Every structure is written in C-alpha cells, then in structure tokens.
Amino acid sequence: MNDVTLTDRIRHRTAHISIIGQGYVGLPLAVEFARAGFTVSGIDSDLDRVGGLNAGRSYTPDVASHDLAAVVADGRYEATADFDAVAKSDVVIICVPTPLRKSKDPDISFVMRAAEAAALRFRPDQLVVLESTTYPGTTEELLLPLFEARGAVLGTNFFLAFSPERIDPGNARFKVRTIPKLVGGVTPPCTALAALLYRQIVDWVIEVSSPKVAELAKLYENVFRNVNIALANEFAMMCRRLGVSAREVIDAAATKPFGFMPFYPGPGIGGHCIAVDPFYLSWKMRLNGYEARFIHLADEVNASMPAYVVDLVADALNRRQRCLNGAKVLVLGVAYKRGVADTRESPALDIVARLQDKGADVSYADPYVPSITIDGHVLKAVELSDEVLAAADCVVVATDHPDVDYARIVDLAPLVVDTRSATHGMVAPAGRIVGF
Ligand SMILES: NC(=O)c1ccc[n+]([C@@H]2O[C@H](COP(=O)([O-])OP(=O)(O)OC[C@H]3O[C@@H](n4cnc5c(N)ncnc54)[C@H](O)[C@@H]3O)[C@@H](O)[C@H]2O)c1
C-alpha cells in the first residue's frame, strides 16, 4: 500500500516537505523540520523574502539567523517562489495569511490560491495539511474538492488534515517543539499520518476527531482571549470611575488558585490573530442563521480602547492646564505587542492617528519599528533620549517593550499615560502616572 511508503518516509525523516507561506508561522515550522532531518522547500510568493531567507536572514524572533543559515548551508532548507517544489513533495503544509476584508468578512483568497497551486501539482501519495487559521469547514469544503478534482483519492493516495498553528512570536518559553499541536484529519488514517508527521518535531501532539474540531478549537482559543481582554478593558473603565486601580484588583483576584485566569486591560488588541480570527467564526455562524453575540460585544469594547486612551491623555493634560491640540505627545511602543516588530492591526497606530486628528504634535519611539505610515504619511521613530522625554508634554506607553527603562521615563517625562501597566508599582509625584 502506498500509504505505508509515505508513513515510512515520514518516520525515517526522508520525506520531502513543502511549506507554502514563509511568514511568522511557516518559517519556524520549516526550520524545525529541516533541523529534524527532513528536506524542506519554503515556498513564498515574496521574492525579497525568498532571497533573504536563502541568504540566511531571519526576520522573526523565533528563528535565529544562524540556525536558518545552517539548514540552508547543509541543503536541508531552500526558500523558493516556484510552486513546482510541490510536485516532488510527500507533504505539503499551507501557512498563508487569513486576513479580513474591509467588511470584516474572511478573506480566504490566499488559502485558495495556495491550495489551487498545490492541487495543480498534486502527485499520488501526498499528505496535505492546512495550518492557517480559518472558519470551520474550510479543509473539507474548500480544499478536499480541489485535490479530488486532480485525481486525489482520500485515504488511498491522498491524506488531508487541519492542524492549527499556535505560535506566539517572541515567546521564549513556548516554541514549535513545546507548544502542543492539535491534529484533525478528514479520515482516521489522515489524522494518524499528520500526527506522525508533527510528532517528529513537537513533543505533544493531540489527535481530534475531525478537521472541523481542530478549526474550531483554534477559533475558540482566540475568541476566549479576545472576550477576556474585552472584559478586562471594560473592567478598567469601571474601576476608573470608582477611583480604583484595575491592575490591583485583577492581581488580587488572581491570588485565587483555581477557577480564575488573569487578563489585563490595554489600549486595544492587534496582531493578525486575536483581532481577526473571531470574525471567521461569526461570519460562518451568520451563514448558519446565528449571531455570535460575545464576539461582537468584545469587538465593540476592544475597538473603543484607542479613543478611550486618547480621552485619558486629553483629561490628564487638561488637569495640567494644557490642551491636547498643540501638545507634544510621545507614543512609546507601536508594535501590537511587546518584543516584536509587528504593527499589523496595532491599536497604537490608531492612537497616533487619533492624537494627530486632535491636533497633537505626535512622535513615537520603538526600538523594533523604525517607521510607521499614518494616513499615507511616514513617521520615523525618534531616539528615546533624555531631551525627547523631557520635551514631551505626555508620554503614552502603548506597548511595553522589554529593555526599556520605564523608571527613567517616569523620572524625566512630566506626564505618563501607561496603557500596559509598565510602570505598575512605581512611585511618582501625584498625577504624573495615569494608567489602568
Ligand atoms: N503570526 C502568528 O502569531 C500566528 C499564530 C497562529 C496562527 N497564525 C495563522 O497562520 C497563518 C499565517 O500567518 P503568518 O503570521 O505566518 O502570516 P505572514 O503574513 O507572516 O506570512 C505569510 C507568508 O505567506 C506568503 N504568501 C501569501 N500568499 C501566498 C501564496 N499564495 N503562495 C505563497 N506564499 C504566499 C507571504 O508572502 C508571507 O511571507 C494565518 O492564518 C494566521 O492567522 C498566525
């Protein structure tokens, strides 16, 4: 039987793997498979990215450039824009973006383009795994027919599964090997084969009964986070009205050793997971005649946070007889989260735009992000010098990057609006720090 051959090739790590999409998800996965002994083609449509990767230049904190250079040098990894690599592959993994359209409906076009290109080059005895976060049903409803139309026979010469990626870019503790991996195949042999594949590089692989379960599990994880962040954000607004620190209350509640998990308020949510994925589910549910209420309420609360932060800045300046119009405001951190350079959907960008709209003279500092574009205008990062801090009327901590001396900021800046609790516990003259 053909699948025995494929099983053996996976088990002996002689299988050739194509990973379509060499982004934050696809690249760490490709390098991990290559380090485990597989030969990997990293397919990406971005030629600059392909060139950089083949030159051993990583752009994600999860892959060290020297590790990438090593697998390139020993021939285990090659980046390419040529989809023909799929035709010689035993395994094809799809890790392309799943963004939203302006209407907040899923934009599945990247997945479709990648899957069509792979299906066109289908060769018998292939395992195909979709990793991109998507709505329930994508694997079976969209991918399966594409491959079947090219002669693939499920369970005989073709195996298909969904395995959601859970990587957390910049997280030093949990990486590809240590993040448990869910696998749901279209048939039990599909699940078994995909699980065998991931067991070569991941310590704990969990098999579920179908792709739909795996697709939904990923969405539930991100809806859970989104909703709980929204709850923390609303809680922070309520605490402010009561004159209490939300941070102190949440930390107090978190001393309960069971049944509670702390989430903290912030300036809103960003990145291309938590802010995006819930809409994949709400869209699918709408097609099923159901409105996902928690998802919409959470989005409403989270989306209101940048405006709330700007109000905090205006109020704090007002208390100092300054008005926002004309004030020098320094936004500290514009990436969507600490320790990364990614500004996709970052609420800090919305805060900058809103401050500018109100007439503030806005600059920003971020050791990870050299420039940003707001309403078509490029803004370059400034050096976080003593002079810049002292000259600002207000510093807004929008992202709490590591390796920033927040005590120094509190010392030098006349006013700090801290949306990330980066200054939590610091002592400062009354009214200098405004936060949650
Ligand atoms: N970034 C994360 O933290 C994270 C975590 C878990 C899951 N995910 C999910 O994983 C998927 C990929 O996310 P990402 O962050 O790696 O995206 P990314 O934007 O970092 O990378 C995607 C890559 O795919 C390439 N690409 C796009 N269309 C292509 C095509 N048709 N053919 C070949 N290459 C193509 C792009 O050039 C890019 O290099 C998404 O569904 C995302 O929701 C992301």
Side-chain angles (χ1 to χ4, degrees), residues 184-204:
V186 179
T187 63
C190 296
T191 308
L193 204 55
L196 177 69
L197 173 75
Y198 287 108
R199 285 197 180 105
Q200 308 306 312
I201 58 160
V202 178
D203 292 342
W204 187 19

Side-chain angles (χ1 to χ4, degrees), residues 20-26 43-46 49 59 83 95-99 109-111 113-114 131-134 164-169 218 222 272-273 277 336 342 344:
I20 307 176
Q22 289 296 281
Y24 288 94
V25 165
I43 303 178
D44 203 290
S45 46
D46 180 338
R49 182 159 283 189
Y59 54 86
F83 269 82
C95 305
V96 294
T98 43
S109 62
F110 296 87
V111 170
R113 271 202 299 279
E131 289 218 6
S132 301
T133 308
T134 182
E165 181 51 66
R166 291 165 150 172
I167 200 143
D168 181 18
K218 170 70 188 183
N222 284 0
H272 102 307
C273 288
D277 302 346
Y336 83 88
D342 195 346
R344 287 177 293 183

Side-chain angles (χ1 to χ4, degrees), residues 27-28 31 35 52-74 77:
L27 181 62
V31 171
R35 280 159 63 93
L53 295 175
N54 284 332
R57 280 196 304 277
S58 168
Y59 54 86
T60 151
D62 297 331
V63 174
S65 286
H66 59 84
D67 286 338
L68 173 62
V71 289
V72 171
D74 71 11
Y77 174 84

